Amino acid sequence: MLLALLVSLVPRSLYGNVFTGSRLIDPFIGAAIGSVSGGNPLTSYIIAGELRLQGVSILAITAFLVAWVTVGIIQLPAEVLMLGKRFAILRNGISFFTAVIIALVTVLTLGWL
Amino acid sequence: MIRRIAERIGTGGVFVFVILVAYIAVAMIDLELARNALSVLGGLLVRIVPVLLAVFGIMFLTNLFSETRGIVRLLGKGSGLRGWLLAIAGGVLSSGPIYMWYPLLGDLKERGMRDSLIATFLYNRAIKIPLLPMMVYYFGWPFTALLSVYMVLFSILNGVLVEQLNQGGGKP
């Protein structure tokens, strides 16, 4: 229910406006947006494609893509309820930082930085 | 007062109530937006109901046929490499939204599944084989392949870290 409400309330165009152009800050912004977004990963690919056209760095886009599917702030209440508060917070917190690290190592390995 | 209501209907009930209030508030401000949200919700329900049925089916069968000892052997402390491989493969092959798998994992956790394997399973849910061609279309083969490999590797690190840091803290 919350997911459906947020998907309707947040316009897709909003995503591109929050990036700063900084290589240091943008991956964290990407991961943060991915963390609070939800839904089918296909949607994240489409948004990522749009962000790429807007000139957002591939580092930020990769962090966004990884966080979209590994961090779930919207689903957190359900995860807390079923798997425990400490587990859910730890898992999501660690997944947030690994999203940034994965983005960094992927882009570095490909030589795209 | 609020605490008494929360105790009576539970945290989940309070959460649903707050979201219902949010829907009503949105409808009062912008009816069209609320209609759109309900339409998205309808589509979401149509997609998740079959997966939900499958998950509860698996829960029913695991409870019916598997003993706790078997779960512990496969996914518990001494499960070793087989446990890791099962968690990775299970995460990659499972379908549907992530939250549909929480009840099953919660059940398996109570029966002895390791925290690290639960975290690894959930992390590997990020790799969607049917969607890989779409990712290739947007970002190319090298990016897609490398990202998938790194995600599998980091899922293990994620699992190890979650278990290490979660030691001593159980379900509240």
Side-chain angles (χ1 to χ4, degrees), chain A residues 1 4 8-9 42 46 48 52 62 69 75 79 81-83 85-87 90-91 95 98 102 106 109 112, chain B residues 23 33 37 41 98-99 102 106 109 118 122-123 126 134 138-139 143 146 150 154 158 165-166 169 171-172:
Chain A
M1 285 173 80
S8 306
L9 283 175
L42 198 60
I46 296 164
R52 225 179 155 188
T62 311
V69 282
Q75 301 98 311
E79 189 171 345
L81 206 64
M82 301 286 176
L83 299 168
K85 193 201 278 183
R86 192 178 161 88
F87 174 90
L90 275 172
R91 193 192 73 76
S95 297
T98 49
I102 287 176
T106 304
T109 309
W112 286 359
Chain B
Y23 266 88
L33 196 64
L41 178 63
I98 194 167
Y99 47 87
Y102 294 154
K109 182 179 176 157
I118 295 174
L122 289 172
Y123 208 92
M134 201 67 189
Y138 276 107
F139 302 100
F143 179 87
L146 198 62
Y150 277 139
F154 273 85
N158 187 284
L165 295 170
N166 197 29
K171 207 171 175 175

Side-chain angles (χ1 to χ4, degrees), chain A residues 55-94:
Chain A
V56 175
S57 73
I58 191 73
L59 196 61
I61 290 172
T62 311
F64 165 78
L65 284 171
V66 177
W68 180 290
V69 282
T70 57
V71 187
I73 298 300
I74 300 173
Q75 301 98 311
L76 195 63
E79 189 171 345
V80 165
L81 206 64
M82 301 286 176
L83 299 168
K85 193 201 278 183
R86 192 178 161 88
F87 174 90
I89 292 170
L90 275 172
R91 193 192 73 76
N92 281 281
I94 293 167

Side-chain angles (χ1 to χ4, degrees), chain B residues 132-150:
Chain B
L132 287 182
M134 201 67 189
M135 199 183 221
V136 170
Y137 170 78
Y138 276 107
F139 302 100
W141 265 113
F143 179 87
T144 305
L146 198 62
L147 187 64
S148 301
V149 170
Y150 277 139

